[in-house]
Amino acid sequence: MPQKRRSQSWTELKQAGNECFRAGQYGEAATLYSQSIQQLEKSGQKKKEDLAILYSNRAASYLKDGNCNECIKDCTESLELVPFGFKALLRRASAFEALERYRQAYVDYKTALQIDWNIPAAHDGVNRMTKALTDIDGPTWREKLPPIPTVPMSVKESLAQVGGSASSSASSSQQNGVVDNKKKAPGPEAVKKAKALKEEGNGFVKKGEYKKAVEKYTQSLGQDPAEVTTYTNRALCYLSLKLYKEAISDCDAALLLDSANIKAFYRRAQAYKELQNKKSCIEDLNSVLKIDPDNMATQKLLQEAQKMK
């Protein structure tokens, strides 16, 4: 048996890590990513982009497990290999924020926005950090910030390719990779079309025609893949259709765009409950209660989840 484990390639180990991550087994995912990193480094290939993704994926596992210091180390390692990788920046920013290191979090969120202005999670992060730092340091809070690096135009252009490969990371499925690799914002016509299709989907939901609603939401996301509510709406339909893994994928995509989206956390928790994944269900419900402590529906679902075997 050990022989078989040793013969696994770094890509197989990475894939196994991705599967564990999607199943909510974050400790096992981190172990597999570590083995993949070792294999890749031993192979002598030294593929910077691949290593950067592995470190960023392991960082995501650490972040999910609340191991913020290790997450920060891995993100920093990833960013040394491929400067200005926006996933690593966002993950490190989240870890800094969790550790109440708001100045560093602000710098990472702002740097991510230089790379791609269309990341709602980064905008939300900047807003939260601005409020927190104003409360702590008063109106002169900006004077105490570390320097914010300037992202060169050449890096922005080259990141179009790197961003595409990063979309295969642990926290997004292939279907939702569009969130990561659409660097250009959709034009006004596409946004208008997406909105109309979403409204049609909403109409079908009101009639209880969830399959038809899914079709409309999917078409809408084809026009505008960065609209958070379309993902959470489609997740609701998938829950009604008992397609729980698809619901989780859509909530993952929504949380990539908006890391504090209550509907995404709540609906993902509902899906995890149906899949008997008690740990992940409770984690997501606790995430909701951190944002909205008086959310009665979440409190009720949490009580039910805690009784699960």
Side-chain angles (χ1 to χ4, degrees):
M1 287 296 280
Q3 187 63 38
K4 191 179 177 188
R5 171 55 63 100
R6 272 204 299 277
S7 68
Q8 280 188 285
S9 68
W10 72 267
T11 48
E12 287 167 336
L13 288 161
K14 177 190 169 189
Q15 189 54 43
N18 289 354
E19 283 164 17
C20 282
F21 188 99
R22 279 194 286 270
Q25 298 165 337
Y26 305 120
E28 181 63 19
T31 302
L32 287 160
Y33 291 137
S34 298
Q35 290 170 359
S36 182
I37 289 165
Q38 284 173 351
Q39 284 279 40
L40 185 54
E41 286 178 336
K42 263 197 284 187
S43 72
Q45 292 173 54
K46 292 285 177 190
K47 294 180 176 177
K48 279 189 177 182
E49 285 82 4
D50 291 320
L51 269 175
I53 291 167
L54 283 168
Y55 277 112
S56 181
N57 285 8
R58 189 171 69 177
S61 306
Y62 286 143
L63 187 62
K64 282 282 191 181
D65 263 350
N67 194 342
C68 295
N69 286 312
E70 288 303 316
C71 171
I72 289 164
K73 276 187 204 168
D74 270 4
C75 290
T76 303
E77 190 74 43
S78 178
L79 290 161
E80 280 172 11
L81 289 159
V82 177
F84 305 111
F86 69 84
K87 280 195 166 187
L89 282 165
L90 286 175
R91 285 169 185 160
R92 191 170 69 178
S94 294
F96 278 140
E97 183 176 350
L99 294 171
E100 297 182 14
R101 292 165 67 181
Y102 299 136
R103 293 187 192 107
Q104 288 94 331
Y106 179 87
V107 168
D108 277 352
Y109 284 131
K110 284 294 273 189
T111 307
L113 286 176
Q114 285 184 63
I115 297 159
D116 186 345
W117 184 248
N118 302 297
I119 305 176
H123 283 289
D124 292 343
V126 166
N127 292 339
R128 285 195 305 274
M129 296 310 92
T130 301
K131 186 180 183 305
L133 289 166
T134 305
D135 290 347
I136 295 163
D137 294 329
T140 59
W141 64 271
R142 287 176 197 275
E143 292 169 18
K144 297 178 183 177
L145 286 175
I148 297 170
T150 303
V151 180
M153 188 54 78
S154 59
V155 171
K156 291 183 197 182
E157 285 161 4
S158 69
L159 274 166
Q161 284 79 40
V162 179
S165 65
S167 69
S168 61
S169 84
S171 57
S172 63
S173 69
Q174 199 129 31
Q175 166 195 339
N176 296 319
V178 286
V179 174
D180 300 323
N181 58 25
K182 288 272 180 189
K183 203 164 91 70
K184 287 181 182 171
E189 274 304 308
V191 171
K192 195 176 167 186
K193 212 170 181 181
K195 196 176 177 186
L197 286 161
K198 187 175 90 168
E199 289 304 323
E200 285 183 55
N202 293 350
F204 282 124
V205 169
K206 283 171 190 165
K207 295 180 200 169
E209 295 181 41
Y210 298 112
K211 278 187 181 174
K212 287 182 181 176
V214 164
E215 283 173 27
K216 291 298 174 187
Y217 291 141
T218 303
Q219 289 167 14
S220 176
L221 287 166
Q223 297 293 325
D224 182 2
E227 177 51 56
V228 179
T229 54
T230 314
Y231 285 106
T232 52
N233 287 6
R234 192 170 65 176
L236 176 69
C237 297
Y238 283 140
L239 284 170
S240 300
L241 295 165
K242 297 184 167 37
L243 296 168
Y244 302 120
K245 286 183 180 175
E246 288 82 350
I248 288 167
S249 287
D250 270 4
C251 293
D252 287 347
L255 288 162
L256 270 177
L257 290 160
D258 174 7
S259 60
N261 190 290
I262 286 176
K263 281 183 181 175
F265 278 125
Y266 184 78
R267 286 172 188 168
R268 192 169 68 178
Q270 288 176 300
Y272 279 136
K273 183 172 180 279
E274 294 299 331
L275 294 170
Q276 301 298 309
N277 189 335
K278 180 180 178 179
K279 182 172 177 273
S280 297
C281 174
I282 288 171
E283 274 176 13
D284 277 351
L285 294 171
N286 283 330
S287 295
V288 174
L289 293 172
K290 276 181 195 169
I291 303 161
D292 181 7
D294 301 320
N295 191 308
M296 296 296 288
T298 303
Q299 288 170 5
K300 185 172 178 289
L301 192 61
L302 183 59
Q303 284 173 353
E304 289 171 22
Q306 284 164 342
K307 289 174 191 168
M308 285 168 68
K309 288 180 181 175

